[in-house]
Amino acid sequence: MKFTSRLVVLAAALTTVAAVATPASAAVAPDPTTDVRIIGFNDLHGNLEPPSGSSGRVTLSNGSTVLAGGAAYLATHVKQLRSQVRNSFVVSAGDNIGASPLTSALFHDEPAIDLLNALGVKASVVGNHEFDEGYRELMRMQFGGCHPKDGCQFRDSFPGAKFPFLGSNVYFENGLPALLPFSVEFSGGVPIGVIGATLKDLPSVVTPDAIKGLKFGDEVEAIDRTANFLDRLGIKAQVVLMHQGDGTETAGPDDCKLRPGPAAAIAAKVTPKVDAFFTGHSHQQYNCVIDDPAGRPRPVIQGSSFGRLLSVVDLKIDRRTRDVVRSQTKAHNEIVTRDVTPDPEVTKLVDEAKTKSAPIANKAVGTITADLPAAGGPTGESPLGDVLADGQLAATQSNGAQIAMTNPGGIRADLTYKSSPAGEGDGVVTYGEAFTVQPFSNIMQTITLTGANLKNVLEQQWSATGSRILQISNTLHYTYSASAPIGSKVSNITVGGKPVDPAASYRVSVNNFLAAGGDGFAEFTKGTNLTGGPVDLDALIAYLGAHPGLAPPPADRITTSA
């Protein structure tokens, strides 16, 4: 009740502020318009240090890449962008925390919130990872206080976020709002409504216990309802922070090569009262213009992930109507290059987190002979995914496991051969690097599936919205046809070199997220005889320790046919 009461009080105060937007007696400015710059980012995931491997590069339109990211560089670029336009403010499209590297995660992401405060963030929508440790922990991130079990480990106290977490489509089971639907930022002498909406399918990408007691509604309905309310208050300039995104073809930061997906569909349906969309979740880079239902164009933009890009939307607002002059809106994605002077305040924060986490982070846990990329190859199979699945199989063989399978979204970074700045040496894998790959602390579970269930699991890798290729242990092989219809793509399944019998039973190890049907793999919920296993990170560390000089496995577990 304590958190709910504070939320209600904050909502009431915000509504009161919004209702007195601009005094009627305000002097008329000589210039009929005012310029406002909104600087956004998304899917930071607590990346304080410059991310490594492919996670630390931005691909340009010509296919070349640029090193990017790092909190201290991010802060410098934010300051530069703000200095160019007097009326500027910063927002986030979600997943600021969760699935974070050890320098932030070891302290329950308190350093990441400190970073966002230092950047001057004014509002953030909640992403799915804001719920990784549950609603009460999210409220601690909002209002501060020490962790109920671990206390305050980063600093003596934790003040919480200086900005509101928004979620217009997040409700308690009784229908009451669980989060503020919007905030209002006064910039350039006019009020700007900032609406937050997270993905309605959030329950499919988090564990059920994390969102117990919460409901997630339709994005368009929630945004339209909130936009209409703001409009009645006289707040005409409106932007949406939406933790939902689309896939793209290979493209540069300011290209628009979207694959059909939910974000573009939502943007095309939402009321014309909304003037721009900052999106997230899919970790893609794009800068698009999508017409609203009235046929008027508005930007829909996303800035990759991990602090590599800043999405910049420049609005020109009519002082008399207080609405955006759409024809003069400009948007671009700014690369967070590492050729600028790091911000000293944020550098100090990052160094503090590195120093305090170093005794754990820099411990060597294994060695590799080459990079182990997380990204899948032509079939979707990835070298790192193979290693993770093999490690999970090895860690659960006492449960009778014959196969291990893991979700690609749970693989958060590459393992790189080159030494990190900590100086552990080329080829050495540290605990911190392994943690960055597997930061969720998912529990391994071994279940019994029939051969028919296993076939259905593999078919569920494809849906109308795209594909998610599970990473599999070396005991499982199969072929799929990209051109075959959904539900009939998979053939030639073997386990241990023998064809799968639809009626036979197989012991399959997955993490608890997949076992609960996460990522749309509902067939896993039909598993029986569940036996618990170790944390997925512990399985990886044990496997690395048992296989020094680990080389990338051959990519032969998944094959394709015409």
Side-chain angles (χ1 to χ4, degrees):
M1 290 299 294
K2 177 182 176 182
F3 289 138
T4 304
S5 298
R6 295 176 75 173
L7 196 62
V8 170
V9 170
L10 186 54
L14 182 57
T15 302
T16 301
V17 170
V20 293
T22 302
S25 60
V28 177
D31 190 340
T33 62
T34 185
D35 295 320
V36 175
R37 167 169 285 180
I38 307 176
I39 305 162
F41 56 87
N42 57 276
D43 300 280
L44 180 66
H45 291 290
N47 275 263
L48 303 179
E49 298 181 83
S52 61
S54 60
S55 297
R57 295 191 292 268
V58 166
T59 300
L60 306 181
S61 297
N62 62 8
S64 64
T65 61
V66 178
L67 288 175
Y73 301 112
L74 180 71
T76 295
H77 281 275
V78 166
K79 286 183 176 179
Q80 289 178 347
L81 288 167
R82 296 190 69 168
S83 70
Q84 296 166 6
V85 178
R86 179 180 178 183
N87 305 310
S88 302
F89 62 95
V90 183
V91 296
S92 169
D95 275 3
N96 306 297
I97 58 176
S100 305
L102 193 69
T103 47
S104 184
L106 188 64
F107 311 108
H108 294 284
D109 276 318
E110 291 171 14
I113 298 297
D114 289 341
L115 168 63
L116 268 63
N117 288 338
L119 292 174
V121 171
K122 294 297 184 181
S124 174
V125 67
V126 288
N128 48 294
H129 285 287
E130 264 80 18
F131 292 95
D132 280 353
E133 295 188 47
Y135 178 75
R136 291 191 66 83
E137 176 65 2
L138 172 59
M139 291 297 96
R140 189 180 76 86
M141 294 289 100
Q142 177 71 87
F143 297 114
C146 295
H147 190 274
K149 292 183 179 179
D150 298 332
C152 282
Q153 295 184 334
F154 185 53
R155 291 174 176 163
D156 292 338
S157 62
F158 174 59
K162 296 179 181 179
F163 55 89
F165 285 106
L166 307 178
S168 61
N169 61 333
V170 184
Y171 316 97
F172 294 116
E173 288 183 336
N174 61 8
L176 292 174
L179 295 168
L180 289 172
F182 69 90
S183 65
V184 178
E185 182 64 22
F186 290 88
S187 189
V190 294
I192 300 167
V194 181
I195 302 169
T198 194
L199 64 162
K200 68 177 179 182
D201 296 327
L202 190 146
S204 70
V205 292
V206 299
T207 56
D209 285 347
I211 53 171
K212 188 175 182 179
L214 297 175
K215 298 191 300 183
F216 299 84
D218 182 77
E219 301 98 333
V220 175
E221 186 279 329
I223 295 169
D224 282 359
R225 182 184 67 246
T226 308
N228 290 335
F229 178 68
L230 287 169
D231 184 69
R232 289 194 296 272
L233 293 174
I235 300 170
K236 304 298 183 179
Q238 302 180 15
V239 299
V240 166
L241 310 179
M242 183 169 68
H243 194 71
Q244 180 60 283
D246 293 336
T248 68
E249 305 295 337
T250 301
D254 279 327
D255 295 330
C256 180
K257 296 183 179 180
L258 295 181
R259 297 191 182 103
I266 292 167
K269 294 177 183 177
V270 161
T271 174
K273 294 180 175 69
V274 169
D275 298 295
F277 288 82
F278 292 84
T279 70
H281 185 56
S282 57
H283 291 213
Q284 302 299 306
Q285 54 184 30
Y286 51 78
N287 180 13
C288 297
V289 174
I290 297 176
D291 288 349
D292 66 22
R296 299 167 62 212
R298 55 189 174 189
V300 179
I301 194 166
Q302 186 177 150
S304 187
S305 60
F306 307 150
R308 289 175 285 174
L309 292 175
L310 286 165
S311 297
V312 183
V313 175
D314 289 328
L315 304 175
K316 189 172 288 290
I317 303 175
D318 187 305
R319 291 183 184 274
R320 182 182 61 83
T321 65
R322 297 192 294 192
D323 206 350
V324 172
V325 182
R326 288 274 190 93
S327 62
Q328 298 190 52
T329 297
K330 298 178 181 178
H332 77 279
N333 275 318
E334 182 93 357
I335 300 174
V336 179
T337 59
R338 301 178 190 172
D339 58 356
V340 297
T341 302
D343 180 82
E345 178 187 357
V346 172
T347 297
K348 184 177 179 180
L349 168 66
V350 174
D351 287 346
E352 181 182 0
K354 287 168 57 178
T355 299
K356 291 180 177 178
S357 63
I360 296 174
N362 295 337
K363 180 182 177 181
V365 296
T367 53
I368 55 177
T369 63
D371 288 350
L372 294 176
T379 67
E381 180 181 350
S382 85
L384 185 52
D386 287 351
V387 167
L388 294 176
D390 288 347
Q392 292 172 3
L393 177 62
T396 55
Q397 285 186 327
S398 61
N399 295 341
Q402 300 164 272
I403 304 164
M405 312 172 80
T406 194
N407 53 309
I411 308 173
R412 306 305 297 189
D414 305 332
L415 279 181
T416 55
Y417 177 79
K418 185 175 175 59
S419 176
S420 75
E424 73 277 2
D426 291 348
V428 176
V429 179
T430 65
Y431 182 88
E433 291 169 333
F435 185 95
T436 300
V437 170
Q438 295 265 263
F440 294 110
S441 296
N442 284 324
I443 306 298
M444 295 307 303
Q445 297 180 335
T446 306
I447 56 177
T448 298
L449 295 177
T450 66
N453 293 145
L454 182 58
K455 168 73 156 56
N456 290 339
V457 163
L458 295 175
E459 295 288 1
Q460 286 179 344
Q461 294 176 117
W462 292 270
S463 69
T465 58
S467 62
R468 285 190 175 100
I469 303 300
L470 294 167
Q471 302 303 296
I472 57 177
S473 61
N474 59 13
T475 52
L476 176 62
H477 291 75
Y478 69 91
T479 299
Y480 73 83
S481 169
S483 62
I486 291 173
S488 302
K489 290 182 177 289
V490 176
S491 61
N492 301 325
I493 308 171
T494 63
V495 174
K498 298 179 180 180
V500 163
D501 178 353
S505 295
Y506 299 88
R507 294 288 281 166
V508 181
S509 291
V510 295
N511 59 45
N512 59 304
F513 171 70
L514 283 177
D519 273 349
F521 289 97
E523 195 72 13
F524 281 126
T525 64
K526 299 179 181 179
T528 59
N529 302 320
L530 186 151
T531 306
V535 172
D536 53 8
L537 174 61
D538 292 342
L540 170 61
I541 289 173
Y543 191 75
L544 289 169
H547 297 81
L550 185 65
D556 59 2
R557 304 176 191 189
I558 306 173
T559 55
T560 59
S561 63

